[in-house]
Amino acid sequence: MGIRTGAQFLDKLNGMRPHLTIDGEVVSENLTEHPAFHGVARTYAKLFDMQHDPRYEEQLTYTSPSTGDRVNASFLVPRTKEDLARRRAAMQVWAEYSNGFLGRTGDYMNSSLTALAAAKAFFSQADPVFGERIQSYYEMCRERDLLATHTLIPPQANRSVSGSEQLGGQLAARVVEERDDGVVIRGARMLATIAPLADELLVFPSTVLRGTPEDAPYSFAFAVPNDAPGLRYLCRTSLHNGGSHHDEPLASRFEEMDAVVVFDDVFVPDERVFMLGRPELCNQWYSDTGAAALMTHQVVTRTLAKSEFFLGLASEIAATIGIEGFQHIQEDLAELIRNVEIGKALIVASEAQAEPSVDGVMLPHWPTLNAARNWYPKASQRYPEIIRTFCASGLMALPGEADLEVAREDIEMYLQGKSLTGPERMRLFKLAYDASITGFAGRQALYEYFFFGDPVRMAGALVNSYDRAPLRERVRELLHRDD
C-alpha cells in the first residue's frame, strides 16, 4: 500500500470506533466531523497529501526495501550521516508546514519505531522474540502509513510515591493477567496527545522504575489499535472555540487533543507485546535502543521551525507598526535570532558527530541533542512574552472577522499599520493573539516546557550523564603546571 492520501486517512478514522469522552459527550464514530477534531484532522490529512505532491514527494518519501512502494522517510533506518540529513530534510517539510505547532506528527513516533526495530542487541538481553515482534510491527506501520501516538506516565494522584504505589497500585496501567496468547491491561496512563486521530496507541515504558518485583506488572511495552475493546479516552475541552482561520488561525488548524487513557481490561495479543516484566530493560528502553536520539532529532527539527515562526512573526509585527528602530525591540529580535541559530547549530552538530550503534544504526550525537532538549523548553517560554510586548494593547482591542461586515470603514481607518491596511493588520494581530494569549497559546507553552519531563529532573540527568572528567583533568593539570 505505502503512503496514504488525506482522504484515505480521514476515511480510516471515520471507520474506527474509539471511545472518546469530551464535554459530557461520548464520541465513537465519524469523529473527524466533531467540532473538537474537525480542523486538526484536516491538517493531518494535508500532511498525508503532501507525500503525493510532486513538490515534496522526494523529500518526504523513499522506496520501501520490502515492497518497492513509496513510504514515509521517517521510517528510513539511518546507516550513514547522509541518511540522517535525509531524514531531517523530510521532517523539516512537515515542521515548516505546521510552524512547529504540531507536536505529534507521524514522524515523531515513526522515529522511535525505526530505532527500536533495528535494536537487535537490546532485545536479545530479554528475548529475541521481542525484537522480532517490533520489527514486524514497524514494517506494518511503514507499509500501511499508520499514524501512532503514545502514552507514557501514570496519572497525578500522589506524586510523592512511584506509579506502582499510587492508590495501592490500582491507578497506573499494569498487567493484571498473563494468558497463553497475550496480556490483559488495567489502569490509566497520561498523556496521549492526538489520541483521537491516531490509528495506533503505543504504550511504552513509563518513568523510571525501581526494578523491584513490585514493579514487574508495570514494566511493559506494547501497541493496540486506537479502538481496541476496553480502551477509553478522557479528552480535555478543545482549545479551538469554533472561530475561523481568520480569528483563530492556529487553534483552528493545529489544536491537537490531549487525553487520559483508561485501560478497562484491554487484551493485548502476544505479537503486539514488545517487552514484559523486565524493569531494568524498561528503564533503558529509550537510551540503549537509540529511540531517544532519533525522536529528539525530530523534535529539534520541529522546534527550530517554531523558533523561526516566532522570529518571523515578531519581525512582521515590528515592521507593521514601526517599532523596529527601538533598542529594546531590537534586543528581543536579537534574542530570537540567537535562538534560531542555536537551534540550527545543535541539529548540524548532532549530525556531524553522529556515530553508529552496535546494530549499525547511525545515531545523532546524544550529548548535543540532550543539551538541545534541556535548552529549548525554557528558551521558548520567552516567545509569547516577546509577542505580547511588541503588540501591547493592540492585542486587547481587536475586532473579529465578522466586524468587517459592519465596521469596515472604522477598521480601515483606525486599525491600519505603517505597512498594512486595517483589515490586514487585524488579521496579523489575530495570529499574534493566538500565538501569545489564548488558551491554545498557553497549552503550547506548557506542552513545550514539559515535553521531555520535569526540567529540573532533566537537568540532573544531563549533569549525571555528561562526561566532565576530561575537563576536570585539564583544570587539575593547570593547577600543577610550573611553566
Side-chain angles (χ1 to χ4, degrees):
M1 175 181 171
I3 52 174
R4 291 189 287 178
T5 65
Q8 289 172 322
F9 166 70
L10 294 174
D11 287 345
K12 171 78 160 31
L13 280 183
N14 286 330
M16 298 180 76
R17 294 295 179 265
H19 187 285
L20 311 171
T21 302
I22 180 168
D23 293 333
E25 177 186 6
V26 175
V27 179
S28 61
E29 59 184 6
N30 295 324
L31 65 96
T32 68
E33 302 308 315
H34 190 281
F37 315 123
H38 180 274
V40 71
R42 277 144 187 80
T43 297
Y44 270 85
K46 173 63 177 179
L47 299 181
F48 282 98
D49 280 337
M50 290 174 74
Q51 299 178 122
H52 299 268
D53 189 323
R55 293 174 295 174
Y56 308 114
E57 183 179 10
E58 284 303 312
Q59 281 180 275
L60 283 174
T61 68
Y62 75 109
T63 302
S64 166
S66 60
T67 64
D69 293 331
R70 303 299 293 185
V71 294
N72 192 273
S74 58
F75 288 111
L76 174 67
V77 178
R79 301 295 182 183
T80 65
K81 293 182 179 180
E82 290 73 23
D83 287 341
L84 282 178
R86 170 84 172 79
R87 287 174 51 86
R88 188 234 309 157
M91 296 184 293
Q92 186 176 344
V93 172
W94 279 356
E96 291 184 355
Y97 176 77
S98 71
N99 285 298
F101 285 102
L102 291 179
R104 285 294 185 270
T105 48
D107 46 8
Y108 179 63
M109 292 313 300
N110 292 354
S111 296
S112 175
L113 290 173
T114 298
L116 291 164
K120 305 301 183 186
F122 173 80
F123 288 103
S124 66
Q125 299 174 80
D127 187 333
V129 72
F130 291 130
E132 294 167 6
R133 290 174 184 173
I134 205 161
Q135 170 74 29
S136 296
Y137 181 79
Y138 151 82
E139 291 178 357
M140 180 190 75
C141 291
R142 182 187 69 196
E143 300 306 322
R144 297 184 186 178
D145 201 15
L146 298 181
L147 175 63
T149 188
H150 79 320
T151 184
L152 187 63
I153 61 175
Q156 299 176 334
N158 182 1
R159 300 299 294 274
S160 66
V161 298
S162 69
S164 61
E165 296 175 302
Q166 294 194 47
L167 295 186
Q170 301 303 301
L171 186 73
R174 62 204 181 278
V175 177
V176 294
E177 183 181 357
E178 293 189 34
R179 302 179 183 174
D180 292 339
D181 56 348
V183 297
V184 177
I185 306 295
R186 185 184 303 160
R189 276 277 189 98
M190 298 166 60
L191 182 66
T193 299
I194 70 152
L197 300 185
D199 299 293
E200 294 277 321
L201 176 69
L202 306 181
V203 188
F204 283 172
S206 186
T207 48
V208 178
L209 299 160
R210 296 166 302 170
T212 65
E214 292 75 20
D215 282 307
Y218 305 87
S219 306
F220 46 69
F222 63 85
V224 291
N226 197 36
D227 57 354
L231 191 66
R232 299 196 297 269
Y233 293 108
L234 306 178
C235 301
R236 60 165 170 76
T237 296
S238 175
L239 299 173
H240 174 217
N241 299 306
S244 65
H245 289 340
H246 180 287
D247 286 343
E248 296 183 84
L250 298 177
S252 64
R253 294 177 170 97
F254 307 126
E255 212 294 81
E256 294 178 308
M257 181 56 64
D258 306 301
V260 175
V261 187
V262 177
F263 299 88
D264 187 1
D265 289 355
V266 175
F267 175 70
V268 184
D270 275 338
E271 63 269 18
R272 283 173 166 266
V273 177
F274 313 129
M275 186 63 68
L276 189 64
R278 294 292 298 268
E280 75 285 0
L281 291 181
C282 285
N283 286 341
Q284 300 163 8
W285 179 265
Y286 296 99
S287 59
D288 289 10
T289 62
L294 289 192
M295 293 168 77
T296 308
H297 189 227
Q298 187 272 346
V299 173
V300 295
T301 301
R302 176 185 66 80
T303 55
L304 170 60
K306 201 169 193 179
S307 295
E308 291 174 330
F309 167 82
F310 275 97
L311 173 57
L313 177 60
S315 300
E316 186 70 6
I317 293 166
T320 295
I321 58 176
I323 58 175
E324 286 180 305
F326 299 145
Q327 287 188 323
H328 70 287
I329 296 298
Q330 293 178 347
E331 182 181 28
D332 285 346
L333 288 171
E335 178 182 343
L336 292 171
I337 292 170
R338 289 195 303 270
N339 287 356
V340 165
E341 293 302 320
I342 288 171
K344 290 179 182 177
L346 288 168
I347 293 173
V348 173
S350 75
E351 295 172 2
Q353 300 175 86
E355 294 182 352
S357 70
V358 294
D359 296 293
V361 179
M362 187 62 68
L363 296 175
H365 191 238
W366 177 244
T368 301
L369 292 177
N370 204 7
R373 73 180 194 144
N374 274 265
W375 161 76
Y376 180 82
K378 293 185 177 180
S380 66
Q381 299 305 301
R382 280 276 293 146
Y383 295 173
E385 180 183 357
I386 288 173
I387 298 304
R388 291 193 297 268
T389 300
F390 281 25
C391 295
S393 60
L395 292 176
M396 300 175 67
L398 199 56
E401 182 178 23
D403 295 309
L404 288 169
E405 299 298 322
V406 295
R408 178 174 289 273
E409 290 185 4
D410 284 342
I411 291 171
E412 288 179 343
M413 178 64 182
Y414 299 112
L415 293 185
Q416 63 183 290
K418 177 183 176 182
S419 59
L420 293 179
T421 67
E424 290 170 339
R425 176 183 173 276
M426 183 176 72
R427 187 157 193 160
L428 172 64
F429 272 55
K430 280 290 187 180
L431 177 58
Y433 187 82
D434 217 8
S436 65
I437 284 183
T438 60
F440 174 87
R443 182 266 179 191
Q444 286 282 323
L446 185 69
Y447 182 81
E448 299 294 5
Y449 192 73
F450 288 104
F451 188 94
F452 288 105
D454 180 358
V456 175
R457 293 180 61 186
M458 286 174 55
L462 176 62
V463 170
N464 293 331
S465 65
Y466 196 85
D467 185 8
R468 294 169 288 147
L471 305 181
R472 294 180 62 191
E473 179 60 32
R474 279 171 55 185
V475 173
R476 289 193 294 268
E477 179 184 340
L478 177 61
L479 291 173
H480 293 90
R481 275 167 48 181
D482 55 7
D483 56 335

